[in-house]
Amino acid sequence: DAGVTQSPTHLIKTRGQQVTLRCSPKSGHDTVSWYQQALGQGPQFIFQYYEEEERQRGNFPDRFSGHQFPNYSSELNVNALLLGDSALYLCASSLGTNSYEQYFGPGTRLTVT
Amino acid sequence: AQSVTQLGSHVSVSEGALVLLRCNYSSSVPPYLFWYVQYPNQGLQLLLKYTTGATLVKGINGFEAEFKKSETSFHLTKPSAHMSDAAEYFCAVSDHLTGGGNKLTFGTGTQLKVEL
């Protein structure tokens, strides 16, 4: 049973650039949530996708956007990168938007220089 | 909105000693509570969860937690620490959102160090 997978593992970008991170949910799951974990902090909710639409959003600027594909996989896009965007980006999947149990992937470590 | 407070950003115990990691929550509705563990350079692994029913919940790797509504607490314990328990631990509460959907709200984490 394949768990949540994310790619790439690590990424280095320059300020002002754009980045795309990818996530494949656990088999059978249809909902994907994204979290940002800054160094020394707990994860912070970015947004949640279900049925190819953004259903909920945390307190993040519009530079953060996403997409969900018909196969339930998802992308997180960040435009105009800032140094403060350096973090571990975690993808979590669940079955349905009301499921309280979320399964996390290994994360993508983004470094902005 | 729900929130979680973890007391103690760093906890150090000897191998074989009791592990106690503290978590207090704030919630306007009956909470769903979770403990996750994160090993270096890895994602989050669910240790245990409380939804309804029995207030003492058992998880993986010998961990357990007790939901105490009167104290708004959900502390994580393990009777005997092992070197492999060294990791960062996060307490989280599930927040059901207006319009559907839910998110996890995490505490700031507790780094557990296990010494010989």
Side-chain angles (χ1 to χ4, degrees):
Chain A
D1 180 16
V4 180
T5 60
Q6 293 185 243
S7 63
T9 305
H10 296 86
L11 204 52
I12 300 175
K13 290 287 188 178
T14 304
R15 274 179 302 175
Q17 286 187 319
Q18 178 264 344
V19 68
T20 297
L21 311 182
R22 295 176 176 82
C23 170
S24 291
K26 179 179 169 63
S27 178
H29 285 182
D30 57 7
T31 302
V32 172
S33 302
W34 287 92
Y35 293 80
Q36 180 196 64
Q37 185 180 14
L39 197 62
Q41 300 295 318
Q44 298 287 320
F45 176 75
I46 304 175
F47 42 53
Q48 185 176 75
Y49 274 83
Y50 173 70
E51 292 186 334
E52 302 179 47
E53 291 187 9
E54 182 183 295
R55 299 290 177 163
Q56 292 289 348
R57 189 178 185 90
N59 188 25
F60 279 81
D62 291 345
R63 297 187 298 108
F64 289 77
S65 63
H67 188 78
Q68 186 179 34
F69 299 93
N71 67 353
Y72 308 123
S73 67
S74 176
E75 289 182 348
L76 164 65
N77 301 293
V78 187
N79 294 322
L81 284 167
L82 305 174
L83 294 179
D85 295 331
S86 296
L88 180 68
Y89 288 84
L90 295 165
C91 170
S93 74
S94 57
L95 180 59
T97 58
N98 290 320
S99 172
Y100 53 79
E101 195 157 342
Q102 298 186 14
Y103 293 79
F104 284 82
T108 293
R109 173 73 63 187
L110 172 64
T111 302
V112 182
T113 62
Chain B
Q2 274 83 314
S3 65
V4 165
T5 301
Q6 290 185 243
L7 300 176
S9 58
H10 291 82
V11 170
S12 183
V13 300
S14 299
E15 191 174 34
L18 171 72
V19 175
L20 171 61
L21 305 183
R22 299 178 186 274
C23 172
N24 287 87
Y25 69 90
S26 172
S27 176
S28 57
V29 297
Y32 290 170
L33 295 161
F34 305 82
W35 276 100
Y36 284 86
V37 61
Q38 186 175 38
Y39 298 99
N41 300 312
Q42 294 188 26
L44 301 174
Q45 181 182 9
L46 179 66
L47 274 178
L48 49 79
K49 62 182 183 288
Y50 169 78
T51 54
T52 58
T55 56
L56 180 64
V57 293
K58 296 184 183 298
I60 61 172
N61 302 338
F63 285 94
E64 61 183 37
E66 186 170 10
F67 170 66
K68 291 187 176 181
K69 183 178 179 181
S70 61
E71 298 178 8
T72 60
S73 69
F74 190 57
H75 302 330
L76 181 71
T77 60
K78 182 174 180 178
S80 176
H82 190 272
M83 296 296 289
S84 61
D85 295 327
E88 186 143 29
Y89 292 79
F90 291 95
C91 183
V93 62
S94 181
D95 195 348
H96 288 270
L97 303 169
T98 302
N102 70 80
K103 67 172 183 178
L104 291 171
T105 298
F106 288 86
T108 51
T110 297
Q111 186 70 46
L112 176 65
K113 182 178 180 181
V114 182
E115 299 174 318
L116 287 172

